[in-house]
Amino acid sequence: MAEAKRILIIEDEADMANIMRDFLTVSGYEVRVAGRGADGLELLRSWSPKLLVLDLTLPDIDGIELCRRIRAESVVPILILSARGGETDKILGLGFGADDYMTKPFSLGELTARIGAHLRRSEMQAPSSAADDGRETGMLSFGELEIDRRAYRVSLGVREVQLSAKEFELLHFLALHAGQVFTKSRLLDAVWGIDSPGDEGTITVYIRRIREKIETDPSRPLYLKTVWGVGYKFDGGRERAV
């Protein structure tokens, strides 16, 4: 089966994991299941799935911590599942690099729809599929900040900045339209897609995470500016596209 269809489920409830595996298999995906976080990390490295479904409650590693570890070494989309429906867990999960969050119980149809949406978005945003128009595939430079669309790499002076795939896409979109103000809804559509199941709070979380990584003082940002009552804009001074 095509590598692009690989889904890794990290879930310690065997019945739940098997139901998801069987449903996704019938839907055309190649699925593997890990019941422990350590096993999930091993499969991530050896099998190279295209999306992870991650439960927050695991017997060996806290799901939020596992999400952080995964994001430190991979840009694979992460969809969190949790019986913990509190806003704090959702913010933490998204803040540590997850791309989506679903609360148990959930519909298998909705799970499949979200997985499909994230995979389509990943394929559309892959460097090899970018339009070769000089800006979309080139380097954007704003003083010390450089954004390389072809390599999915961001650097600040001599330091490489580690961003998740969605963090990169959000930063790149705003930088590509420097000076233009976007609402949260518009950013959600542009980066996650119009069929995204996410909400506007996702944008707030991601903007904060990006600021923590590229701004000297995140409370007084140089690049990602808040336009109160409207949304956000990128303001990095004069830029050049190579």
Side-chain angles (χ1 to χ4, degrees):
M1 189 172 292
E3 183 178 344
K5 291 288 190 176
R6 291 180 175 178
I7 306 296
L8 173 59
I9 298 172
I10 306 177
E11 165 67 73
D12 69 324
E13 295 183 25
D15 290 342
M16 172 70 73
N18 291 336
I19 289 171
M20 289 190 289
R21 181 197 60 202
D22 293 346
F23 192 88
L24 291 172
T25 298
V26 170
S27 299
Y29 295 102
E30 181 179 358
V31 185
R32 292 191 183 181
V33 173
R36 295 170 59 86
D39 296 335
L41 279 174
E42 179 60 30
L43 276 172
L44 171 67
R45 294 160 181 160
S46 63
W47 190 54
S48 301
K50 293 303 179 182
L51 184 140
L52 299 183
V53 178
L54 171 63
D55 182 47
L56 284 188
T57 306
L58 297 169
D60 58 336
I61 306 173
D62 179 75
I64 297 294
E65 170 61 18
L66 182 58
C67 181
R68 185 192 66 79
R69 293 187 194 181
I70 292 169
R71 186 52 72 226
E73 61 182 79
S74 173
V75 296
V76 62
I78 301 172
L79 194 164
I80 283 179
L81 299 179
S82 178
R84 308 186 320 223
E87 187 71 14
T88 299
D89 285 320
K90 181 174 183 179
I91 291 173
L92 282 173
L94 295 174
F96 278 105
D99 297 273
D100 202 354
Y101 189 106
M102 293 182 67
T103 302
K104 298 177 181 178
F106 56 86
S107 159
L108 290 170
E110 182 182 0
L111 174 67
T112 305
R114 292 198 188 198
I115 288 173
H118 285 297
L119 289 178
R120 288 193 299 273
R121 195 65 188 169
S122 293
E123 292 170 1
M124 291 170 56
Q125 294 292 344
S128 60
S129 68
D132 187 13
D133 64 1
R135 294 196 73 195
E136 184 68 14
T137 63
M139 178 84 75
L140 297 177
S141 179
F142 304 85
E144 290 192 329
L145 181 67
E146 291 190 339
I147 305 169
D148 186 348
R149 183 66 176 81
R150 287 164 293 195
Y152 258 49
R153 182 167 57 241
V154 174
S155 58
L156 195 60
V158 298
R159 177 174 66 88
E160 184 171 341
V161 180
Q162 298 298 322
L163 299 180
S164 72
K166 283 294 186 289
E167 288 169 350
F168 179 91
E169 291 159 15
L170 179 56
L171 176 61
H172 181 265
F173 179 82
L174 285 165
L176 195 62
H177 302 88
Q180 185 173 344
V181 181
F182 293 92
T183 64
K184 293 178 182 179
S185 176
R186 177 69 180 89
L187 291 173
L188 195 64
D189 289 348
V191 178
W192 276 261
I194 58 175
D195 55 354
S196 167
D199 57 53
E200 294 182 5
T202 300
I203 299 299
T204 303
V205 171
Y206 273 76
I207 289 290
R208 183 176 70 246
R209 293 291 296 174
I210 298 170
R211 282 174 174 166
E212 290 172 352
K213 295 179 179 181
I214 69 170
E215 303 284 3
T216 302
D217 182 357
S219 65
R220 300 178 63 185
L222 173 65
Y223 300 108
L224 294 181
K225 301 289 186 68
T226 299
V227 180
W228 296 107
V230 183
Y232 300 100
K233 70 174 181 177
F234 185 95
D235 183 12
R238 183 170 180 165
E239 63 89 15
R240 71 177 191 278
V242 180

